[in-house]
Amino acid sequence: MLPFTGGQFLANLVAYNEAIWPVQLAAFAIGILAMVLLIWRPRMADRLIAAVLAVMWLWTGAAYHWLHFAEINPAAYIFAALFVVQTAVLGYAGVGKGQLSFRLYSGTAASVGISLIAYAAVLYPVLGIWTGHAYPEMPVFGVTPCPVTIVTLGFFLLAKPPVSPWLFAIPLIWSLIGGSAAFLLGMPQDWLLLMSGVIAVCLTVASRRKSRIGRSQL
């Protein structure tokens, strides 16, 4: 049983969106920037994309979970800590060490990655509106946990293998926790989130094995 009702969840979401406006626009803008960097590929593109993802996780952990969601769910303090840890992992591996290399390429993993990014940025809010959850009664791209997790998994699928398993741990956990909103809170846009973590991990493992086989045959 959840410690809050569906009505309380939506009311809390409305209060959050109204309190942080117009941060949503800034989040969408840096999301577009990350996509442009993925295509344009200037110097430092990989580190900048990782930084964009890290900022989204940090903001969502602190502003959403800690300062707002915790008002109706005490477990949000734990969620906030997890999101801050993911921020640190992204900052260390992607920004500090430059261990993430994003690029557009052909293949199943890349196609799924692009689809997840497009879903988080466009189809997620459209589906929310279609099912009766128009703004401000909707999770918004870049500033709420579920879209942030989906877009992050999308970018990870566009990263050159091997990608550290530590980068996937928390997004996978949240895909299961947050994805439960699909049936517990009547949020059909989160059905894809529920499956996205497992799909992304499986595709990444397959890509990693393929890369190892390719290197061993050289």
Side-chain angles (χ1 to χ4, degrees):
M1 290 292 293
L2 295 173
F4 53 88
T5 65
Q8 288 175 318
F9 172 75
L10 292 175
N12 183 263
L13 196 55
V14 169
Y16 171 68
N17 278 323
E18 291 178 344
I20 69 168
W21 177 262
V23 173
Q24 296 92 331
L25 298 179
F28 198 79
I30 65 170
I32 292 175
L33 172 62
M35 298 172 204
V36 170
L37 290 169
L38 180 66
I39 299 169
W40 182 27
R41 301 291 306 154
R43 185 181 180 185
M44 299 289 289
D46 296 325
R47 282 183 163 89
L48 289 172
I49 292 172
V52 166
L53 297 176
V55 167
M56 289 182 177
W57 280 85
L58 180 60
W59 176 274
T60 304
Y64 177 77
H65 280 308
W66 188 274
L67 296 179
H68 284 83
F69 193 39
E71 294 178 1
I72 61 171
N73 186 5
Y77 291 116
I78 298 173
F79 302 155
L82 288 175
F83 272 63
V84 171
V85 170
Q86 182 66 16
T87 301
V89 173
L90 276 165
Y92 176 79
V95 181
K97 293 293 185 178
Q99 295 174 350
L100 287 171
S101 178
F102 305 97
R103 78 269 193 240
L104 293 174
Y105 62 96
S106 60
T108 302
S111 297
V112 173
I114 293 169
S115 298
L116 288 178
I117 294 170
Y119 183 84
V122 180
L123 296 180
Y124 189 100
V126 169
L127 184 57
I129 293 170
W130 183 61
T131 55
H133 298 130
Y135 183 85
E137 202 175 61
M138 66 159 64
V140 178
F141 176 85
V143 294
T144 48
C146 299
V148 167
T149 301
I150 294 171
V151 76
T152 299
L153 290 170
F155 271 103
F156 284 173
L157 287 175
L158 293 171
K160 181 180 178 180
V163 179
S164 171
W166 292 107
L167 285 165
F168 277 98
I170 292 173
L172 175 60
I173 291 170
W174 188 259
S175 72
L176 301 176
I177 295 174
S180 65
F183 54 90
L184 292 177
L185 296 171
M187 306 288 285
Q189 61 267 50
D190 286 328
W191 278 113
L192 180 62
L193 172 65
L194 191 59
M195 302 178 289
S196 63
V198 174
I199 292 172
V201 169
C202 290
L203 287 173
T204 300
V205 170
S207 296
R208 189 168 186 168
R209 287 178 178 174
K210 184 178 179 180
S211 178
R212 285 177 177 174
I213 291 172
R215 288 197 301 268
S216 67
Q217 292 177 343
L218 294 178

